[in-house]
Amino acid sequence: MHWLLALSLLASWVQVGGVSAGLKAQVNQKGLEYGNQFGMRMAASMLKKNPIPDIHGSHNMPLLGDVQYSVTRLQVDKLQLDDSTVGFSKGLGVNVTIRNGYVLLRGNWKLKTLFGRDGGTVDIHVHQLSLSALLGLGKELTGRPKVWAARCRAATGGILLKFHGGNSWFYNRFTSVLETLLESKLNKQLCLELKKGVDDIAQVLRAMNVSIQIDSFVELDYSFVNKPVFGVDRCHVDLKGEFFALGQPRVNFFTPSPFVLPKQPGSMFLLGISEFFANSAASVYFIAGVLQRNYTDEMIPRGFPFHLNTDSVGMLIPELEEKFPDRPLQVLLGARKPPVLSFHPDGVHVTAFGSIDVGVLLPNGSVASAFLLHIDGNFTGQFLLESVNSGNSIGKLLGAVHLKG
């Protein structure tokens, strides 16, 4: 029953009150139903691979006396879970309901009766399988998600046994008693197996990493800052959404401000990115030195009409060519301080604080400073995600940037 958690995890979890977040995610009912289709397919795959506990017992039966039975090496041969629904439970978690399920199990049987021992193979047809479970979702103190089986009810509408091998022609006449016993055991076992599966995954979640390395410079912390909030048709989660320098002590440059995701019930999934998220990334990349680039003449194509040397710059700055004739230049482009980003209805406003530091490369390998320019610019950017026909991509990021001043 591990697969049931997959349905809920697809429901990524806007918090009212609590700690402000850098990232917010919202899954609506439409997205949860899409996740249900994926979950059912995964359920069929996992149930066919996972071992099923053996069944042992004894019962006094007419003509046969005290019968000791065992059913071992059970495997799922067929599984139909088409009639399944998922929904949000306000303030609690995710409801998972399965109706009219069908399972065909195949395994080995052994009987010990007054007439001796016998065995063979057996088909177990489980009809009208129903299961209703409430999965609770919350937050650990470490910021990791936690899950538990808050409620479970399970039942079967009937079990049909068919023995093969041995004296199966005789024992098939007495299957009704064993069918009743197996149905009772199965009804009790279903919710126990569900709880066991959820507990196993909860253990994995307690050890999961809640930060991801973006590149060789920074990592992103996406731990939960508040517990998930469930409405009747959506669920929300608040994530830290803060960047840090990789392998360095964590320093907080900003404090996130509250923001709210819009209501878009026709959407499956909403992701909200805050100014805190964007400015956190800009500051960390600035400190890591990523927002600087050094250019030399070797990086310019030979056929290009302008080259980084004092002869080319001499028409603009004759004194430079006179003092350093025919010497290569290096140009350091970079940010003097972190760019500042703010979000507005017309797009993302960016204020950049740049510099151009030009130096002359001397024969002894040293660099003589030529001139330094400070250039500040205001930009407006607009971005959109265009869908693509690829199974490995969620879309293509497009954008336009306009210089304001």
Side-chain angles (χ1 to χ4, degrees):
M1 294 299 178
H2 295 65
W3 56 271
L4 288 171
L5 182 60
L7 301 177
S8 60
L9 291 182
L10 290 171
S12 298
W13 311 292
V14 176
Q15 173 83 10
V16 178
V19 179
S20 296
L23 288 173
K24 289 181 181 288
Q26 173 182 299
V27 168
N28 296 324
Q29 180 64 33
K30 186 177 179 180
L32 189 64
E33 291 171 357
Y34 179 82
N36 181 42
Q37 300 174 21
F38 168 80
M40 288 299 105
R41 290 195 298 268
M42 189 169 69
S45 176
M46 292 185 67
L47 285 175
K48 288 181 178 180
K49 294 178 181 178
N50 291 345
I52 299 173
D54 296 339
I55 300 173
H56 303 276
S58 62
H59 189 74
N60 191 278
M61 300 175 62
L63 300 179
L64 298 176
D66 187 45
V67 176
Q68 297 180 15
Y69 60 89
S70 66
V71 181
T72 60
R73 303 185 67 180
L74 281 169
Q75 295 289 332
V76 175
D77 187 70
K78 293 182 180 179
L79 179 67
Q80 294 178 359
L81 302 174
D82 301 330
D83 189 2
S84 63
T85 58
V86 289
F88 298 111
S89 179
K90 186 175 181 180
L92 297 175
V94 175
N95 279 317
V96 181
T97 303
I98 297 173
R99 304 181 187 90
N100 299 320
Y102 169 76
V103 183
L104 171 58
L105 303 171
R106 296 188 188 276
N108 298 330
W109 64 272
K110 290 182 180 180
L111 293 179
K112 181 181 179 182
T113 68
L114 295 174
F115 304 102
R117 299 176 183 271
D118 207 346
T121 61
V122 62
D123 297 339
I124 304 177
H125 302 262
V126 182
H127 298 277
Q128 295 181 325
L129 172 67
S130 65
L131 186 145
S132 176
L134 171 63
L135 301 179
L137 295 168
K139 165 187 169 294
E140 299 278 6
L141 293 176
T142 58
R144 294 175 173 85
K146 66 177 180 179
V147 62
W148 64 94
R151 184 178 66 241
C152 177
R153 293 191 299 270
T156 58
I159 290 181
L160 177 63
L161 290 176
K162 184 69 174 180
F163 293 109
H164 304 279
N167 294 312
S168 56
W169 61 271
F170 177 73
Y171 297 118
N172 280 329
R173 300 174 180 271
F174 303 93
T175 56
S176 59
V177 176
L178 291 177
E179 288 166 354
T180 302
L181 290 172
L182 288 177
E183 184 176 2
S184 176
K185 286 181 175 289
L186 185 60
N187 289 341
K188 294 178 181 178
Q189 193 69 23
L190 282 171
C191 283
L192 292 177
E193 288 298 313
L194 169 66
K195 185 179 184 303
K196 179 182 177 182
V198 173
D199 288 344
D200 288 345
I201 297 182
Q203 185 69 26
V204 174
L205 293 178
R206 281 193 287 270
M208 72 175 287
N209 196 351
V210 289
S211 66
I212 183 172
Q213 181 176 337
I214 303 300
D215 50 32
S216 59
F217 304 100
V218 303
E219 62 178 333
L220 172 64
D221 187 327
Y222 56 89
S223 58
F224 287 14
V225 295
N226 295 302
K227 67 179 182 179
V229 174
F230 293 89
V232 295
D233 60 351
R234 71 197 66 177
C235 60
H236 312 272
V237 69
D238 287 352
L239 305 174
K240 191 175 185 67
E242 186 170 8
F243 291 86
F244 296 97
L246 193 64
Q248 301 294 325
R250 292 194 168 190
V251 179
N252 304 100
F253 297 100
F254 305 96
T255 301
S257 300
F259 72 101
V260 178
L261 291 178
K263 292 184 178 181
Q264 295 185 0
S267 301
M268 289 186 181
F269 177 79
L270 296 178
L271 178 66
I273 298 175
S274 69
E275 294 178 355
F276 168 83
F277 174 87
N279 286 305
S280 170
S283 295
V284 173
Y285 276 112
F286 172 78
I287 293 174
V290 178
L291 304 184
Q292 291 189 343
R293 184 73 184 272
N294 196 23
Y295 293 92
T296 61
D297 193 57
E298 288 80 6
M299 301 169 66
I300 297 179
R302 291 183 177 274
F304 201 72
F306 181 85
H307 282 269
L308 291 179
N309 54 50
T310 55
D311 292 345
S312 297
V313 180
M315 65 183 69
L316 300 175
I317 311 175
E319 294 86 349
L320 187 62
E321 183 181 12
E322 292 174 2
K323 188 171 183 180
F324 304 103
D326 194 27
R327 294 306 305 168
L329 301 174
Q330 74 169 17
V331 178
L332 180 62
L333 299 179
R336 305 193 320 273
K337 55 184 179 179
V340 177
L341 296 87
S342 58
F343 296 164
H344 301 268
D346 63 336
V348 180
H349 291 192
V350 182
T351 301
F353 309 94
S355 67
I356 303 177
D357 190 357
V358 179
V360 180
L361 296 176
L362 301 178
N364 62 5
S366 62
V367 179
S369 179
F371 60 87
L372 173 66
L373 296 178
H374 286 179
I375 302 176
D376 298 342
N378 293 317
F379 304 86
T380 298
Q382 296 175 329
F383 306 93
L384 60 91
L385 192 65
E386 183 181 78
S387 61
V388 295
N389 296 323
S390 172
N392 300 321
S393 175
I394 62 172
K396 180 168 59 176
L397 183 65
L398 305 177
V401 178
H402 304 279
L403 176 64
K404 297 177 63 178

